[in-house]
C-alpha cells in the first residue's frame, strides 16, 4: 500500500478534557500506518488542547485548531483534508472498542464495502447498555431497501 490511507478517523473536540485522554488512547493503541487520524479542536476553553499536544509528541496525526464553529463545520473540515479511502467519525467522549480497527480494516480489504454499520454500547449508571443496529453479520449488495433501513 502506498501513502494513501485506508481509513480516515475524524475526531471533533470541544471542551472534552474529561473524556479525551481515554478516547485518544483507545484509538492510538490500535493505530497503524493505514489509519489517518484527524483531530480538530473547535475552540475548546478547557485543557483539551494540552491533552492533544501530549499525543502530538508521540503519534503522527493531523491536528487542526480553530475558533468555535460547530460540529458540522468541524466534520466538513475533516472531510476536506482527509486522504483515506474511507472516512469515519469518533466523538471525543467516545472510545474505540479494543480490536475494532483490525475488524474494520479486514472488512475493507476483503470486501470493499460502500459503507458499514456497527452495533454500539453506552455506559451509564455503571452498566453497559448494548444497542443492536444489526441483528446478524452479513453483507448486503444492491438492495436499496436495506440502505433505507
Amino acid at each position: 500500500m502506498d501513502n494513501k490511507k485506508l481509513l480516515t478517523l475524524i475526531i471533533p473536540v470541544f471542551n472534552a478534557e474529561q473524556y479525551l485522554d481515554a478516547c485518544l488512547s483507545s484509538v492510538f493503541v490500535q493505530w497503524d500506518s493505514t489509519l489517518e487520524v484527524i483531530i480538530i479542536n473547535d475552540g475548546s476553553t478547557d485543557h483539551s488542547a494540552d491533552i492533544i499536544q501530549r499525543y502530538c509528541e508521540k503519534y503522527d496525526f493531523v491536528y487542526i485548531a480553530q475558533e468555535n464553529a460547530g460540529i458540522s463545520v468541524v466534520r466538513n473540515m475533516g472531510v476536506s483534508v482527509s486522504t483515506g479511502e474511507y472516512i469515519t467519525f469518533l466523538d471525543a467522549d467516545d472510545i474505540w472498542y479494543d480490536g475494532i480497527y483490525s475488524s474494520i480494516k479486514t472488512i475493507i480489504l476483503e470486501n470493499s464495502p460502500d459503507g458499514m454499520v456497527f452495533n454500539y454500547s453506552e455506559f451509564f449508571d455503571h452498566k453497559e447498555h448494548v444497542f443492536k443496529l444489526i441483528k446478524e453479520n452479513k453483507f448486503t449488495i444492491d438492495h436499496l431497501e436495506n440502505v433505507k433501513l
Side-chain angles (χ1 to χ4, degrees), residues 120-131:
Y120 69 97
S121 297
E122 290 183 0
F123 294 88
F124 52 90
D125 298 329
H126 305 290
K127 294 182 206 165
E128 179 180 12
H129 303 270
V130 177
F131 294 86

Side-chain angles (χ1 to χ4, degrees), residues 1-21:
M1 178 170 279
D2 56 20
N3 287 337
K4 184 166 173 70
K5 302 298 183 178
L6 186 64
L7 179 70
T8 296
L9 174 64
I10 300 168
I11 305 173
V13 176
F14 179 73
N15 291 344
E17 70 179 345
Q18 181 179 357
Y19 310 102
L20 189 55
D21 192 49

Side-chain angles (χ1 to χ4, degrees), residues 9-12 23-24 26-27 75 88-96:
L9 174 64
I10 300 168
I11 305 173
C23 172
L24 298 181
S26 77
V27 169
R75 288 183 176 193
T88 192
F89 301 95
L90 181 68
D91 291 337
D93 62 348
D94 293 336
I95 59 172
W96 252 9

Side-chain angles (χ1 to χ4, degrees), residues 23-80:
C23 172
L24 298 181
S25 177
S26 77
V27 169
F28 287 111
V29 73
Q30 302 181 60
W31 180 84
D32 70 21
S33 64
T34 65
L35 177 64
E36 175 183 46
V37 177
I38 300 173
I39 301 172
I40 303 175
N41 185 356
D42 191 32
S44 295
T45 57
D46 64 0
H47 293 287
S48 293
D50 298 331
I51 295 167
I52 296 167
Q53 192 58 45
R54 284 199 320 263
Y55 281 84
C56 282
E57 295 168 7
K58 296 179 186 176
Y59 302 99
D60 182 27
F61 60 90
V62 176
Y63 176 40
I64 299 169
Q66 64 181 37
E67 290 187 24
N68 184 260
I71 190 70
S72 296
V73 171
V74 170
R75 288 183 176 193
N76 287 333
M77 168 67 74
V79 169
S80 73

